[in-house]
Amino acid sequence: MSLPTLMDLVRRSTDYLANHGIANARRETEWIFAETLKLTRMDLYTRFDMPVEDAEVARLRALVQRRGRREPLAYVLGTQAFGDLTLAVGPGVLVPRPETEELVEFVLARFSDATPLRVVDVGTGSGAIALSIKRARPTWEVTGTDASELALGFARANGERAAVAVHWHLGDLAAGLSGPFDLVLANLPYIGENERAECDPELAFEPQNALFSGADGLDLIRRLIDDLPRVLAPLGQVVLEHGWHQGTAVRALAESGGFQAHTIQDLAGKDRFAHLWRTP
Ligand SMILES: C[S@@+](CC[C@H](N)C(=O)[O-])C[C@H]1O[C@@H](n2cnc3c(N)ncnc32)[C@H](O)[C@@H]1O
């Protein structure tokens, strides 16, 4: 029997993913194929009549089926782009989201490299924020902390691969760290238990303690704000990512903790980040 061509397989896989509810089925198929066959996406078009060997068909089928079961594409591929970094991700660590790149951009736009700062990224996960900041501001001293050993394993490996030196720390929020930090950054879990039913099926594959944080989603942000006076330098500042409907609640938490707070919208125009500094 003749071997299937690349284009036969791309078409079949696209239909399979579309039938399993994947919105960008063609694009995701192309990513899986390009990554697995070590081709560019353009190669997929110029080599559309290339026969594909049985062993490769089996590898591709296994990956497409994983995606069809709604495992996140980044887990299937094993990596996620974040800014100019390519981060290793997999079960046990949250896939960094594009909104979080905006948190990094905000910090870099606001704080030049003129003054070396001490920075902590609380709930660092894959190390996305900590590594991006340290890479762009090599004179800053950056610590990434997480309660999950598995996540820290990814962060450490990502740091080694990118040759970016961040201090990694295992612990509950900022416990065990004394600071003082000039900048506290955090993208902590912020989905409320009451929102669980509306979540995409992909979220079931990611660590639940990287996503959910009590009934209203604010348990961890609340606890971190309570601990800020202990770890934040007198003129220190804080940037927290939060859910699109939590801007008012996070500002209220910050204000009752003795901070001034300003909400920043993401590129979609939704409340997404809180910028905090001490009330003079
Ligand atoms: C939403 S994920 C964000 C990961 C990463 N900062 C990013 O933006 O991709 C939240 C992270 O907080 C960590 N986390 C959850 N509870 C924590 C706690 N009590 N103390 C420290 N980290 C915690 C999770 O393990 C997870 O890595």
Side-chain angles (χ1 to χ4, degrees):
M1 224 172 71
S2 64
L3 295 170
T5 66
L6 196 48
M7 198 43 66
D8 292 334
L9 293 173
V10 167
R11 286 209 184 101
R12 263 189 259 156
S13 302
T14 301
D15 289 345
Y16 178 85
L17 290 186
N19 289 334
H20 284 75
I22 307 294
N24 299 313
R26 177 65 181 238
R27 200 151 34 114
E28 294 207 9
T29 298
E30 289 177 5
W31 273 323
I32 294 171
F33 275 56
E35 188 68 26
T36 310
L37 301 173
K38 302 290 168 231
L39 298 172
T40 65
R41 282 173 67 204
M42 183 56 79
D43 290 336
L44 298 178
Y45 289 92
T46 55
R47 302 192 195 178
F48 65 93
D49 55 354
M50 180 181 95
V52 184
E53 299 293 333
D54 291 343
E56 279 180 336
V57 173
R59 275 173 62 212
L60 289 164
R61 182 182 294 128
L63 296 177
V64 170
Q65 283 175 343
R66 281 174 62 189
R67 184 65 187 115
R69 288 193 287 272
R70 303 299 295 266
E71 190 171 340
L73 179 67
Y75 282 5
V76 173
L77 299 177
T79 57
Q80 173 65 45
F82 186 86
D84 56 4
L85 293 169
T86 300
L87 299 170
V89 292
V93 71
L94 187 103
V95 178
R97 307 297 205 261
E99 300 87 84
T100 309
E101 293 177 344
E102 296 175 44
L103 183 155
V104 171
E105 283 161 18
F106 173 81
V107 170
L108 296 179
R110 195 160 187 105
F111 301 92
S112 77
D113 53 6
T115 318
L117 299 180
R118 290 189 73 190
V119 183
V120 64
D121 168 22
V122 183
T124 193
S126 61
I129 298 173
L131 291 169
S132 302
I133 296 287
K134 177 67 183 177
R135 187 176 164 105
R137 298 282 183 268
T139 60
W140 294 6
E141 191 182 328
V142 180
T143 300
T145 179
D146 206 287
S148 157
E149 272 189 67
L150 250 176
L152 272 188
F154 279 95
R156 227 176 245 116
N158 283 324
E160 279 162 22
R161 199 161 73 151
V164 173
V166 164
H167 306 292
W168 303 112
H169 177 85
L170 178 69
D172 178 31
L173 298 177
L177 299 173
S178 48
F181 293 102
D182 304 300
L183 261 180
V184 174
L185 309 176
N187 174 22
L188 287 165
Y190 56 68
I191 307 178
E193 286 297 338
N194 51 11
E195 298 170 90
R196 207 179 260 273
E198 299 145 36
C199 291
D200 289 338
E202 280 78 357
L203 266 60
F205 288 84
E206 293 186 276
Q208 301 301 287
N209 60 3
L211 294 165
F212 296 94
S213 182
D216 63 356
L218 291 171
D219 281 8
L220 285 159
I221 290 181
R222 202 175 277 120
R223 280 214 283 124
L224 179 62
I225 290 176
D226 283 348
D227 197 26
L228 285 175
R230 187 182 66 80
V231 290
L232 194 66
L235 294 176
Q237 301 187 35
V238 181
V239 187
L240 306 175
E241 183 170 328
H242 58 67
W244 61 269
H245 55 297
Q246 293 170 334
T248 307
V250 173
R251 279 199 313 277
L253 287 172
E255 282 157 14
S256 65
F259 294 89
Q260 292 195 27
H262 172 67
T263 299
I264 301 154
Q265 277 83 35
D266 61 21
L267 288 175
K270 295 187 170 162
D271 286 358
R272 184 63 63 190
F273 310 104
H275 178 202
L276 278 57
W277 61 97
R278 286 181 201 274
T279 307

